[in-house]
Amino acid sequence: MGRVLTARLMGRFRLLTPDGQDLTPKSAKGQGLLALILTSPDFERGRSWLQDKLWSDRGPEQGARSLRQELSQIKKTLGTFADLLIADRKSIRIARESIVLTDDTRVEDCEFLEGLDIRDDEFNIWLTAERTRRSDITAPELRYAPIGQSVALIGLSVPTAACKVLEGQLIELAHKSLSDLCEVTIYRDLPSTLGSHVLIVGVQVFEIPGGAMSTRITLERVSDAATLWSETINGIVADQLTELDFSCLQLINRLFENVCQTLARPGHQARAANSMAALGIAKCFTLDGDHLLEANRLFSKAFEIEPRGVFLAWQAQVMTIQFVERFAVDPDRLREKGERLCAEALRLDATNSNVLAGTANFRTIVERNIIGGLELARLAVRANPANPLAWWALSNAVQYTGDVKQAYSAATRATQLAMGTKLEFWAAFQRSLAAMLTGDVPEALRFGEMSSALAPDFRPPLRYLGALYAAEDDMTNGQRVFSSLEAREKDFTVDRMIEDPDYPVRLMRTTGLLEPDKIRRFRT
């Protein structure tokens, strides 16, 4: 027994000798590497598989070099036990007879690989899936609901009719927003057995002097009684409350983002599909070709785990962006596949606001089915008026009908709802386009610059800003924007913007603001 180590996987990762000496690697990736091997069949994994999990953002050669360096450090830490880690050109394994695993899922409040923080999306997807799998086999007496996927929506308002009406509206919309994307168990009261990973959303409406009402929403975590987020809005007039005040819609959207971010964190035991979707959405809106491919793969994996229409709709949204940005190798094949995804997404969940918005964009932009896209976008807004993506889809669809005022109005709503969230840069760009359609160039420049400031690597606003500054004879800002665009878009040239009819500045051509002679002045 003198040559047998003990590896602890529940709680913090530990590797101990029989006499209690700690041989745990100091680096997070060293611990992650051992954990990946120890949870694999026969304690063995291929080198390329391990590289993809820990160094997915690096090229094959860089990843291989990083893996070799990490192995060297682990062997140094193991000392006289280094020979238990066996590596060849294709795989890495640990001698099974030399390791005893302690992987007891019945330990209450003890998380698999607790606190292990590795900044690699592939590793975090694997980690979330493993934590979810273990939560599903937790001893029955400890299972109140799947761990990390339970939200209690609790009304805390004073018992007056007006306050209770508004509270009910807010809770209903919060329920709808969460159900549209996350696969969560939602309680309308505290569960009888309060699990440590339940999130509590408290909704409190109270009257303030002058006949108005105030609303406060808090997001708390049961495990450590931490308040994760809270916000208060004032000035809601009770006798005018036929539908939710717009500030309430903004509040619900910010609540939705904070709940989803919490559920998707590597340190939180959320469903693997939720985490994959959250990562996919983040990658989707970078408009980077490689990130879009990764986003598509994440949504596909999420659907394999939980066959929900929203994941298919997000795949269709990825394809819409690939089509516009001309990343698709075969547009006809993309169109055919996207049509199938949209049809199945709608079949599975035709009342989901995100499904309706995603399919609306595909119908409008890729299929050029303007009437169909517009109707789906209207349904998306009706299904959840707090969803900025629904308003964005409506603005986008209305643009194709020529109703620039309605397009601007919808884009303004999307911008207001997305304020203070991670999608603010995207909504600001949409508002910039809508303002440009109305002929308001100063506002188009303002929101284009806002979008670019919030997301410096986001190329679309730079394209339009460059053309707008050229039209305005602003050489200083035009040069700044075109230089920034050249640094971010490898095949960009001024001539391409002017001469290539497929270059993604369609609205500049539609409005007549793309002035070739003025843009040519910025040739480098």
Side-chain angles (χ1 to χ4, degrees), residues 8 56 64 78 83 105 157 221 243 256 315 326 335 344 360 382 395 413 461 464 472 519:
R8 295 179 182 173
S56 65
L78 292 176
D83 60 314
T105 59
S157 304
R221 184 171 54 210
E243 59 182 28
F256 165 75
Q315 282 187 273
R326 302 191 304 174
R335 186 180 293 107
E344 182 64 9
R382 194 180 309 159
S395 177
R413 284 246 165 179
Y464 282 87
E472 292 289 290
I519 293 176

Side-chain angles (χ1 to χ4, degrees), residues 79 117 152 156 191 226 242 254 296 314 336 353 395 401 437 459 474 482 499 509 519:
D117 184 12
L156 304 171
T242 56
R254 288 193 286 273
N296 190 60
W314 275 108
E336 181 183 345
S353 181
S395 177
T401 70
L437 285 175
R459 298 187 304 275
D474 189 335
F482 278 118
E499 298 168 5
R509 301 183 196 280
I519 293 176

